[in-house]
Amino acid sequence: KILCMTKTMLAALTFVGGFLLLSPTHAGPLSTAVCSGNLTVLNSTCIEHGTFDSVHVDTFEACCSTCAQNSKCLFFTFNTGDSLSCRLKSGQFIDGNSNPNCTSGSKIPTPPPPAPPQPAPPIPPPAPPNPNAPRPHIVFVLADDLGFYDTAVYNPNSPTPTLAKLSNEGVRLDHHYVFRYCSPTRRSFLSGRFPNHITSVQPDGGNMCSDFLPLAFEILPEKLASVGYHCHFVGKGHLGYQTTDHLPINRGFLSHVGYLGGSQTYYHGLDSGSQAKDPQYDMWHDHHPGTDVVDEIYYSTNFYTTTAVDIINSMGANASAAATNRLFMYLAYQNVHSPYDSPPPWECHPYPRMWNDVYGNMLQMLDSGVHNVTEALQTAGMWDNTLLVFSADNGGVGAQGNNHPLRGHKHDPWEGGIRSTAFLAGGFVPLSIRGKPSGPKLVHVADWYATFSTLAGVDPRNDVWMTGAVRAIDGVDVWPLLTGANATPPRALTPVTETAMIEIVSNETWWKLITLAGQSNYYTENNTQVPGTDPCLQARQPDPAEPGRTDPIVNGLCPVCNSTHPCVYDLLRDPTETANVASAHPDVVARLQPLLEQSAQYYITGHLDPAVLAANYTQFPSGIWKNFQGPCYARKNETTEN
């Protein structure tokens, strides 16, 4: 049974401090209706999975409602004025009071409100979406382990002419920040949360069976699908899949094909290190292991590109539908992550001006894929209304990735690990800003959640009660900043890793504080690595505690920044981070260090509550997916394809 409220009741409910405050003086009759699926309907406004976060209603007689077999209803408290509360957990009332609309339970006090945050510059509330604004097709292309100097966006010798052309004709994003490695960037993009808040775990291997992109979040495709977008996911996941509800096909995407973990070979969906006599696969297709597609994957870049092009062609085949429907595509290429597999021989070419032929060919395959996708959008008549965003998930790494002229690499809090090659392209980009670099405008990968939501015409807010407080998104709408409609940065402080924060003081001054980092290296244009020259500190402090971290902050034996000897860089004047000015600016350290420590407090557990699992899910028997990766639990009474 699902409780529904009338329009009068909907108009007056307020949401304060994580609780719905209901005024008994306006109590009216409680109407009920049959609602489809697992949606709670409030006067034709569907609130998915019983998440009442941003709904405003004044009154109703019942203090809680049933959300049976719904893992997203993890914890709700409803306060009915001077009466006490009842709680809902795992679809069952576990507490209550004398209110006849609550089931049995014991009387409980109203929980206290969350502790106030530490002082920080406030983020303005999002502007309401304009219902009359044009809505773009949105394509987000994410490259893997791509170095800052790997492509012709910066390196004229790179065999990536398409990326250079799109960047030159669109808007190169000069200060686009991601996390220092893979999964946190991807989960940040889909959730609108800073990686610090959702942990730096890599959810593969022993962490594959996890909730590190919590079901309690309404992720980006769910937002966009709620206003009619056709959402498709092609490529790498690395998100965590404790249950079948965590699969992309069950989280707003109409289709999904790709691998669940963090790394594999480029051929046939085989895990890295897989042996011919005992092949192990990581490939998933919608609701089931990708047994039907692995034979087609003769170099993954081609397979993912073909899949993306087919989706675009399908939308463009119906002219009237293409004019009204909107596409959101998340295209997460494998290139240029290890293993460094050459493309098929007939697609290989010599690139003598690159530092490595295999790597040059891997870059060329990425470029060719983006070319074919953009060409398909043009042929389908969709390009003129498309916003394409290209980014890397982190900096380059190893002997191949080149982050010239920046310091550091993947895994580092230095700019080379977290400042990605990125640009905007497509006909939706205003003519007034095309062909110009963005300049000193900071964009974090979490910001695309709010930006895309607003452009799509949906409220970007997603307030979730979690670990004792209401947790809002961190991302902000950066479209007014990028288009010049508003010159004021929407956020002054951005935590870019667990131990690094950027403060925007003005268009001329950005401070970057680092409280833990190793020496790392610089790069030349031909990818010769040059060690840094900072003095090594006597002792290496431990990394901040987080569950499941697999990638240390300090690589090697030479820490050069720590919490007692922090580093500060005048980032716009010193983008290569060569001059530590902490001693000259103790006020910056004193101001930013406590804010950085506060920002590094994560609030997700990474696993569903055991009671939720017991009430709603059944663990799969060992070996059900045979030699494929897959989720660990199914919803009770769910039919499973394998």
Side-chain angles (χ1 to χ4, degrees):
K1 293 181 180 179
I2 299 178
L3 302 180
C4 300
M5 290 175 265
T6 66
K7 183 176 182 180
T8 301
M9 297 154 64
L10 181 66
L13 183 141
T14 54
F15 183 83
V16 178
F19 304 102
L20 291 175
L21 302 183
L22 305 161
S23 170
T25 61
H26 298 285
L30 179 68
S31 60
T32 60
V34 177
C35 304
S36 61
N38 57 0
L39 299 179
T40 301
V41 179
L42 309 179
N43 187 35
S44 302
T45 301
C46 291
I47 310 303
E48 190 171 7
H49 302 294
T51 306
F52 296 96
D53 310 324
S54 301
V55 182
H56 303 287
V57 181
D58 181 338
T59 165
F60 76 108
E61 294 176 343
C63 66
C64 38
S65 62
T66 302
C67 189
Q69 295 187 7
N70 191 332
S71 64
K72 289 200 177 182
C73 286
L74 299 180
F75 189 100
F76 292 102
T77 301
F78 302 88
N79 188 327
T80 55
D82 57 359
S83 66
L84 296 176
S85 306
C86 65
R87 286 183 188 167
L88 176 64
K89 189 171 184 180
S90 306
Q92 302 296 324
F93 298 112
I94 59 172
D95 306 291
N97 58 21
S98 58
N99 190 320
N101 290 299
C102 292
T103 61
S104 61
S106 59
K107 206 169 180 183
I108 59 169
T110 302
Q118 296 294 320
I123 296 174
N130 180 357
N132 299 316
R135 302 192 307 158
H137 302 291
I138 300 171
V139 179
F140 188 79
V141 180
L142 191 64
D144 201 347
D145 284 6
L146 184 71
F148 192 75
Y149 197 69
D150 283 351
T151 72
V153 173
Y154 294 104
N155 176 7
N157 294 326
S158 174
T160 52
T162 299
L163 300 181
K165 182 174 186 292
L166 291 172
S167 177
N168 291 336
E169 294 178 353
V171 179
R172 189 184 72 203
L173 299 176
D174 291 333
H175 294 275
H176 186 269
Y177 285 89
V178 293
F179 194 65
R180 58 191 184 88
Y181 53 79
C182 184
S183 172
T185 291
R186 297 163 193 273
R187 292 182 286 119
S188 179
F189 166 67
L190 290 171
S191 70
R193 268 83 176 175
F194 288 142
N196 284 7
H197 290 154
I198 55 177
T199 83
S200 59
V201 71
Q202 298 273 54
D204 50 16
N207 288 315
M208 174 82 79
C209 182
S210 61
D211 184 47
F212 283 104
L213 183 61
L215 287 180
F217 291 168
E218 184 180 20
I219 64 172
L220 181 59
E222 294 173 303
K223 276 282 188 190
L224 300 183
S226 73
V227 289
Y229 271 71
H230 294 212
C231 304
H232 301 272
F233 185 173
V234 181
K236 178 175 175 175
H238 215 185
L239 305 174
Y241 310 90
Q242 190 168 10
T243 73
T244 51
D245 283 346
H246 288 82
L247 293 170
I249 197 69
N250 294 322
R251 303 195 74 175
F253 288 105
L254 291 173
S255 72
H256 164 243
V257 64
Y259 55 112
L260 302 182
S263 177
Q264 62 174 191
T265 72
Y266 285 72
Y267 290 89
H268 305 302
L270 286 164
D271 271 345
S272 300
S274 183
Q275 303 297 316
K277 62 181 180 180
D278 182 27
Q280 300 296 312
Y281 298 91
D282 182 4
M283 183 57 55
W284 203 265
H285 187 195
D286 292 340
H287 295 281
H288 55 81
T291 54
D292 57 331
V293 299
V294 290
D295 288 343
E296 301 176 35
I297 306 175
Y298 200 73
Y299 211 74
S300 68
T301 317
N302 289 337
F303 173 73
Y304 294 140
T305 298
T306 299
T307 302
V309 168
D310 287 347
I311 292 168
I312 294 165
N313 289 344
S314 178
M315 283 196 71
N318 185 329
S320 60
T324 56
N325 295 335
R326 289 295 176 265
L327 169 70
F328 168 59
M329 179 176 289
Y330 177 29
L331 178 53
Y333 279 117
Q334 184 174 357
N335 300 61
V336 284
H337 196 288
S338 63
Y340 300 112
D341 289 342
S342 291
W346 58 87
E347 295 189 88
C348 285
H349 306 277
Y351 294 110
R353 300 177 72 182
M354 288 294 291
W355 47 87
N356 181 278
D357 248 11
V358 171
Y359 199 66
N361 276 282
M362 294 174 72
L363 289 166
Q364 186 277 327
M365 294 297 288
L366 172 65
D367 189 79
S368 176
V370 175
H371 170 82
N372 290 339
V373 168
T374 56
E375 188 175 66
L377 288 165
Q378 293 164 359
T379 302
M382 298 164 64
W383 180 250
D384 287 346
N385 193 37
T386 290
L387 172 61
L388 184 147
V389 178
F390 177 94
S391 176
D393 64 339
N394 46 249
V397 66
Q400 305 305 333
N402 187 345
N403 299 310
H404 173 79
L406 305 178
R407 180 179 188 172
H409 48 72
K410 176 183 179 179
H411 304 121
D412 286 341
W414 304 110
E415 294 289 280
I418 60 175
R419 182 176 161 190
S420 72
T421 296
F423 58 79
L424 311 177
F428 189 79
V429 178
L431 284 169
S432 60
I433 61 172
R434 292 187 201 174
K436 305 172 185 177
S438 66
K441 297 178 179 180
L442 190 150
V443 179
H444 190 278
V445 70
D447 295 332
W448 296 117
Y449 182 101
T451 304
F452 290 168
S453 294
T454 303
L455 290 174
V458 62
D459 190 330
R461 289 175 292 184
N462 180 226
D463 304 322
V464 176
W465 178 268
M466 187 170 286
T467 57
V470 176
R471 311 296 185 175
I473 66 169
D474 300 304
V476 294
D477 178 11
V478 293
W479 197 244
L481 177 70
L482 293 174
T483 59
N486 188 346
T488 303
R491 180 181 56 237
L493 296 172
T494 303
V496 285
T497 78
E498 316 96 308
T499 62
M501 173 176 277
I502 294 173
E503 180 188 34
I504 299 175
V505 178
S506 68
N507 284 340
E508 292 75 36
T509 301
W510 292 11
W511 298 119
K512 181 178 178 182
L513 171 73
I514 303 178
T515 58
L516 186 62
Q519 181 75 268
S520 203
N521 58 272
Y522 294 92
Y523 300 80
T524 64
E525 292 181 354
N526 68 357
N527 205 25
T528 300
Q529 297 185 14
V530 181
T533 58
D534 292 82
C536 298
L537 300 176
Q538 291 296 316
R540 181 202 181 285
Q541 69 189 48
D543 291 352
E546 278 197 11
R549 179 188 280 119
T550 55
D551 300 70
I553 296 172
V554 175
N555 293 277
L557 302 176
C558 179
V560 297
C561 312
N562 65 22
S563 60
T564 55
H565 296 84
C567 299
V568 172
Y569 297 93
D570 188 348
L571 202 54
L572 296 183
R573 297 179 179 89
D574 181 21
T576 57
E577 299 170 296
T578 57
N580 178 10
V581 295
S583 61
H585 296 279
D587 57 317
V588 174
V589 175
R591 181 173 67 252
L592 296 186
Q593 190 158 359
L595 296 174
L596 174 57
E597 291 171 357
Q598 177 200 356
S599 77
Q601 296 173 6
Y602 60 89
Y603 53 70
I604 70 172
T605 65
H607 293 86
L608 293 176
D609 187 288
V612 172
L613 284 175
N616 300 288
Y617 298 94
T618 301
Q619 188 168 7
F620 284 120
S622 177
I624 187 172
W625 307 126
K626 300 177 182 176
N627 54 343
F628 280 75
Q629 300 273 11
C632 303
Y633 292 84
R635 186 170 284 279
K636 288 184 176 179
N637 303 318
E638 178 181 2
T639 300
T640 303
E641 300 179 47
N642 57 44

